[in-house]
Amino acid sequence: MELFQDRGYVETTVQEIAARAGLTERTFFRYFADKREVLFSGSKELQKSIIARIESAAREAGPLDVVVGALEAAGAELQDQRGLSFVRARYALVTQHAEIQERELIKLAALAVGVTRALHARGVAEPAASLAAEAGMAVFKIGFERWVNERKPRDFAAHIREAAVALKALTAGNKVHARQTLSRPVKKSISR
Amino acid sequence: MELFQDRGYVETTVQEIAARAGLTERTFFRYFADKREVLFSGSKELQKSIIARIESAAREAGPLDVVVGALEAAGAELQDQRGLSFVRARYALVTQHAEIQERELIKLAALAVGVTRALHARGVAEPAASLAAEAGMAVFKIGFERWVNERKPRDFAAHIREAAVALKALTAGNKVHARQTLSRPVKKSISR
DNA sequence: CCTCCTGATGTCAGCAACTGACATAGCCGT
DNA sequence: ACGGCTATGTCAGTTGCTGACATCAGGAGG
């Protein structure tokens, strides 16, 4: 983080990072798959924590509530462990470099897969499990952004909760039959 | 695609791709930012098409319906233009190589940003716009996967519609923060 | 017809990310 | 002391990607 903030992400070479740690470039790549991975050290543990919370959630709770609840808890964990200022510095890096953002997104996608599996284990059927997982990621993402960009910092968990409420309002507010009919020219069918 | 399928993605070198096109490696990089981008040729147009449909959607329609409607139409477009077999071949590449999947995910994130902006232009306020966009992406993603993995191919648009319905059912049944009380018996329904 | 300009392409050199193969050093149990 | 295991170093090589400069074809205008 020091090097990235001083010299910039692209300018910082892996060799420099390794040297700062008193190691060699080759050794760096034995611990991190690539340069970006060094920014995702805690992610595996965070995912595990979330999955564990889903597994141990109350039986009666609905899938989306279970997911959102787990994310709230994990969010609080993150807030406590790393602190807002660190998270903000890292967030700046992520937003400034598409390269890093890509990694962040695939981590989130992997989390969604894990969450989906955990929901399956609870007996949630299929489109519901994936949708709850993905919707949870959306809620997390938006809650996160609002938390980080806020001038007067509030609780991360509160933001997640708010986003979840907003999502429910959104989907509730629209009737299924309010869908517009779209004029799609009929072309050849799929065939094959 | 030919080269990637024959020799594999990683084994295929940019030089080979360029040579196959009768060009030089340097010229390749003048048209594509990097090796992966060659797999995302139509994405800009697709995004434009989606945004345009959102802008021209009926005024009374709710945000989520607008987004889902636009995605259905774009999905139909994709299905007609590229064809299921091409989409499947490309999908196989994406799932097999995290590198490519990362790019796919960031394209989707960029689409979400565009959709959010288009919703703002329609007067949708803030957590709602982002959430509708992200929820739309979730619906698209899941609809897409179900479409592509299906043995007997049906309409892409139909899958998207089904996913949207499932999402509404999901969010309708549950209250956020079901602390102690559970509002009503959990129905895991939908699907199939 | 000649000239100049422009845009597309080629050539070349170079850096940094990453990898495989092999060597070395330190620790640990026997 | 020995032998093995693990972490690290060394080295060479490939590939993605970039900047600088050269070349070449076609069109506009004299």
Side-chain angles (χ1 to χ4, degrees), chain A residues 51-62:
Chain A
I51 305 283
R53 273 182 228 268
I54 292 176
E55 285 166 346
S56 68
R59 284 261 196 82
E60 333 82 59

Side-chain angles (χ1 to χ4, degrees), chain B residues 52-71:
Chain B
R53 273 181 228 268
I54 292 175
E55 285 167 347
S56 67
R59 292 226 149 204
E60 330 83 61
L64 190 57
D65 289 329
V66 168
V67 173
V68 171
L71 292 174

